[in-house]
């Protein structure tokens, strides 16, 4: 729970930084590119500072070890294969990270903040379902109650009567759910088969690919690039990196079906509390209910 708590703090920090910049005429693509840049740069620094590539030897070919994963879901790759796995999974899921951002922006324009926020948060159902179906990570009865309460708290915070009245299933919502869920699933998919010591290589590949795609869109849009937007991006990128970093460590000791609902609902609670303490924002009654439900969920899940 210690690492999960740190991941939640980092995740909430991202939203609070964006809240601080509200009202400014910011270039979101520049902020996103700067965010991914600082994230992969820090990952690269950690790789070399830890000497992860020093003395790396190939014990077996990656393909021969990869073939073992199909027959043994508990098989852990060797250091060399963990590095290759990190580069492959990070490279693939880096595109999902960026696509989830793009479709979140599109969905807000088409469907509003309430529905978009709900669908984005409910994307955690994808890693939850995959972990139960593929790896048989079944929660206990008490934990199921906690998981349901945390999902209910997500719905309470994001949905309103107005958003429900105008709700309509559109392609942008479907893509947002899929891409957002797959982006969340990346940490578990890496952690399940690779050594945690090489998570920095996975994170480097993840954010580097997301950066390449993002920088392409940034220059394609031809918007103004300001120093302020770059600095905001750097400020967001640090907690963005470490939210994934600590999430991987949390997934090593906790069930996926437990981690993701608490990670999502816990972030919402901290964002509300942070908004109240830092920006004097009043916490709506429905959000107060959601906070209480999340606290109860945390207690039940930890039983």
């Amino acid at each position: 729970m210690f690492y999960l708590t740190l991941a939640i703090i980092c995740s909430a920090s991202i939203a609070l930084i964006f809240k601080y910049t509200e009202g400014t005429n910011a270039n979101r693509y520049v902020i996103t590119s700067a965010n991914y840049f600082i994230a992969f740069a820090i990952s690269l620094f950690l790789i070399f500072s830890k000497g992860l590539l020093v003395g790396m030897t190939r014990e077996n070919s990656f393909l021969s070890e990869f073939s073992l994963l199909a027959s043994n879901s508990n098989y852990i790759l060797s250091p060399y294969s963990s590095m290759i796995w990190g580069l492959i999974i990070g490279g693939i899921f880096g595109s999902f990270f960026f696509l989830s951002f793009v479709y979140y922006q599109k969905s807000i324009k088409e469907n509003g903040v309430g529905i978009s926020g709900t669908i984005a948060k409910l994307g955690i159902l994808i890693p939850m379902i995959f972990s139960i179906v593929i790896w048989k990570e079944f929660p206990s009865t008490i934990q199921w109650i906690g998981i349901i309460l945390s999902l209910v708290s997500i719905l309470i915070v994001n949905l309103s009567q107005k958003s429900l009245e105008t709700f309509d299933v559109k392609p942008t919502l479907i893509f947002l759910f899929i891409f957002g869920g797959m982006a969340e699933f990346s940490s578990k998919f890496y952690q399940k088969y690779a050594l945690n010591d090489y998570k920095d290589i996975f994170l480097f590949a993840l954010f580097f690919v997301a950066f390449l795609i993002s920088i392409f869109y940034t220059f394609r849009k031809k918007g103004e690039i300001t120093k302020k937007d770059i600095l905001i991006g750097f400020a967001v990128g640090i907690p963005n990196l470490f939210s994934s970093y600590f999430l991987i460590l949390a997934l090593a000791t906790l069930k996926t079906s437990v981690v993701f609902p608490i990670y999502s609902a816990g972030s919402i609670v901290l964002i509300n509390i942070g908004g109240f303490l830092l920006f004097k924002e009043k916490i709506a009654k429905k959000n107060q209910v959601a906070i209480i439900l999340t606290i109860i969920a945390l207690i039940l899940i930890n039983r």
Side-chain angles (χ1 to χ4, degrees):
M1 286 301 295
F2 174 70
Y3 290 123
L4 181 55
T5 302
L6 292 178
I8 290 170
I9 291 171
C10 289
S11 177
S13 297
I14 298 170
L16 291 173
I17 292 170
F18 275 125
K19 189 175 289 289
Y20 177 74
T21 63
E22 279 182 358
T24 62
N25 190 23
N27 186 326
R28 293 296 179 188
Y29 282 98
V30 173
I31 292 174
T32 304
S33 297
N35 144 62
Y36 290 141
F37 173 81
I38 198 67
F40 90 71
I42 294 174
S43 298
L44 192 61
F45 171 78
L46 291 173
I47 289 170
F48 286 106
S49 64
K50 293 178 181 179
L52 295 181
L53 304 180
V54 176
M56 177 68 68
T57 57
R58 187 173 70 174
E59 301 170 15
N60 300 297
S61 69
F62 172 74
L63 291 178
S64 65
E65 289 196 54
F66 180 75
S67 64
L68 295 174
L69 298 180
S71 58
N72 184 1
S73 61
N74 294 318
Y75 182 78
I76 301 297
L77 298 168
S78 66
Y80 172 79
S81 293
S82 291
M83 180 186 71
I84 300 299
W85 181 252
L87 291 173
I88 293 172
I89 299 303
I92 293 171
F93 283 92
S95 58
F96 287 118
F97 258 69
F98 180 74
L99 287 170
S100 66
F101 166 79
V102 170
Y103 276 94
Y104 185 63
Q105 298 297 313
K106 287 183 178 181
S107 182
I108 287 175
K109 290 181 181 178
E110 293 182 14
N111 310 294
V113 176
I115 290 295
S116 299
T118 302
I119 296 299
K121 292 295 183 184
L122 289 180
I124 60 171
L125 291 172
I126 289 180
M128 284 174 60
I129 293 169
F130 279 162
S131 68
I132 292 172
V133 173
I134 300 173
W135 300 305
K136 313 300 180 186
E137 294 185 0
F138 293 100
S140 65
T141 303
I142 295 295
Q143 287 178 329
W144 267 122
I145 297 172
I147 290 168
I148 292 169
L149 286 177
S150 63
L151 292 174
V152 169
S153 72
I154 291 171
L155 293 173
I156 289 174
V157 168
N158 289 281
L159 290 183
S160 64
Q161 183 64 36
K162 183 180 179 181
S163 63
L164 286 172
E165 290 172 356
T166 59
F167 177 70
D168 185 24
V169 177
K170 297 178 181 177
T172 49
L173 289 173
I174 295 172
F175 285 127
L176 173 61
F177 176 78
I178 294 172
F179 292 143
M182 291 302 291
E184 297 285 9
F185 184 53
S186 64
S187 296
K188 177 61 182 180
F189 202 44
Y190 167 78
Q191 175 274 325
K192 181 64 181 179
Y193 300 113
L195 294 168
N196 268 352
D197 292 344
Y198 296 88
K199 60 186 174 295
D200 296 308
I201 293 174
F202 159 70
L203 293 171
F204 164 75
L206 185 77
F207 289 112
F208 182 67
V209 169
F211 167 74
L212 292 179
I213 301 172
S214 183
I215 201 72
F216 170 77
Y217 275 88
T218 298
F219 285 108
R220 186 181 177 184
K221 292 294 180 179
K222 297 179 181 178
E224 184 182 3
I225 299 176
T226 66
K227 186 177 179 180
K228 183 178 180 180
D229 289 340
I230 293 173
L231 291 175
I232 292 171
F234 285 175
V236 169
I238 295 171
N240 193 13
L241 166 67
F242 284 105
S243 63
S244 296
Y245 185 95
F246 292 125
L247 194 59
I248 292 173
L249 293 174
L251 287 166
T253 54
L254 297 170
K255 293 176 181 176
T256 309
S257 52
V258 169
V259 168
F260 283 103
I262 290 302
Y263 173 67
S264 186
S267 298
I268 290 173
V269 168
L270 274 191
I271 291 167
N272 274 274
I273 294 173
F276 174 73
L277 295 176
L278 298 175
F279 307 109
K280 309 303 179 185
E281 292 183 343
K282 187 177 179 180
I283 301 177
K285 287 186 177 179
K286 66 171 187 173
N287 290 8
Q288 293 176 19
V289 172
I291 289 172
I292 294 170
L293 288 178
T294 302
I295 293 171
I296 296 172
L298 280 168
I299 294 170
L300 293 175
I301 284 174
N302 279 286
R303 288 180 66 86

